[in-house]
Amino acid sequence: MSEVLASQPVSALGGARFDGFAKVREIGPWGMISLRAKPDAAGLAEAVKAAVGTGLPEMRRMVWDGAADTGRGCGWMSPDEYLLILPYGEVKEAMAKLAKGLEGVHHLATDVSDARAIFRIEGVKADDVLAKLCPADLAKLAEGELRRTRVAQVAGAFWAAEGGYTLVSFRSVAGYVMGLLEHSAQPGSEFE
């Protein structure tokens, strides 16, 4: 594969969209880095700040440098795992900043940008779409809260922001997840 083709971001489903009682659309690709490190690791907060411009999030939270879903962010995935989100073209530079900031510290930083698919669910009844698929109490989900859960039969993570939800899944199941979202957003199937 040529260097030019290998560096071009390609969304998983070509920007698929569905307009039902809620709007569903694929919004990738985004740059994503999975970072594993102990939360008290020396230099961790500074390295994340250098890479994406945010501090470390509290448990089950997203923090943003800029508007949610358009800026750079960091999400808490587990006690020793963070998901860094940034523009696709900035991943290489962010990885270098993490390596420099965490030199000598036990950590693992992996570019997972091309292994993920990202969807946006919007509308007054966007909750209904996810409620059919996820075992999470959406009524108690605060804006900016990150929930890592199941989406029907596959792993996913989502957060509430600006009148809807952003959902991340594995790219290998993007078609399945889009099909689930379309089916859940069919007009007439919303909750009463």
Side-chain angles (χ1 to χ4, degrees), residues 21 125 127-129 131-132 189-192:
F21 69 79
K125 297 210 173 226
D127 291 8
D128 288 6
V129 176
K132 294 176 188 179
S189 70
E190 56 269 54
F191 298 135
E192 297 275 330

Coordinates of all heavy atoms in Angstrom, one line a residue, residues 21 125 127-129 131-132 189-192:
F21 N -36.9 8.5 14.2 CA -37.4 9.5 15.3 C -36.2 10.1 15.9 O -36.3 11.1 16.7 CB -38.3 8.8 16.2 CG -37.6 7.7 17.1 CD1 -36.9 8.1 18.2 CD2 -37.8 6.4 16.9 CE1 -36.3 7.2 19.1 CE2 -37.2 5.5 17.7 CZ -36.4 5.9 18.8
K125 N -35.6 12.3 21.3 CA -35.8 10.9 21.8 C -34.5 10.1 21.6 O -34.6 8.8 21.5 CB -37.0 10.3 21.2 CG -38.3 11.0 21.6 CD -39.4 10.1 21.6 CE -40.6 10.8 22.1 NZ -41.3 10.1 23.1
D127 N -32.4 9.2 23.7 CA -32.3 8.3 24.8 C -33.0 6.9 24.4 O -32.5 5.9 24.8 CB -33.1 8.8 26.0 CG -32.4 10.0 26.7 OD1 -31.4 10.5 26.1 OD2 -32.8 10.4 27.8
D128 N -34.1 7.0 23.7 CA -34.9 5.8 23.4 C -34.0 4.8 22.5 O -34.1 3.6 22.7 CB -36.1 6.1 22.6 CG -37.2 6.8 23.5 OD1 -36.9 7.0 24.7 OD2 -38.3 7.0 23.0
V129 N -33.2 5.4 21.6 CA -32.4 4.5 20.8 C -31.4 3.7 21.6 O -31.3 2.5 21.5 CB -31.6 5.4 19.7 CG1 -30.7 4.6 18.9 CG2 -32.6 6.2 18.8
A131 N -31.5 3.2 24.9 CA -32.1 2.4 26.0 C -32.5 1.1 25.5 O -32.6 0.1 26.3 CB -33.3 3.2 26.5
K132 N -32.8 0.9 24.2 CA -33.2 -0.4 23.7 C -32.0 -1.3 23.6 O -32.2 -2.5 23.5 CB -33.8 -0.2 22.3 CG -35.1 0.5 22.3 CD -35.6 0.7 20.9 CE -36.8 1.6 20.7 NZ -37.2 1.8 19.3
S189 N -41.3 3.4 16.8 CA -40.8 2.5 17.8 C -40.3 3.2 19.1 O -39.8 2.5 20.0 CB -39.7 1.6 17.2 OG -38.5 2.4 17.0
E190 N -40.5 4.5 19.1 CA -40.1 5.2 20.3 C -40.9 4.9 21.5 O -42.1 4.4 21.3 CB -40.0 6.7 20.1 CG -41.3 7.3 19.6 CD -41.4 7.4 18.0 OE1 -41.3 6.3 17.4 OE2 -41.6 8.5 17.5
F191 N -40.4 5.1 22.7 CA -41.2 4.8 23.9 C -42.3 5.8 24.1 O -42.1 7.0 23.7 CB -40.3 4.8 25.2 CG -39.2 3.7 25.1 CD1 -37.9 4.0 25.5 CD2 -39.5 2.4 24.7 CE1 -36.9 3.1 25.5 CE2 -38.5 1.4 24.7 CZ -37.2 1.8 25.1
E192 N -43.3 5.5 24.8 CA -44.5 6.4 25.0 C -44.1 7.4 26.1 O -43.5 7.1 27.0 CB -45.7 5.6 25.4 CG -46.2 4.7 24.3 CD -47.1 5.4 23.3 OE1 -47.8 6.3 23.6 OE2 -47.0 4.9 22.1

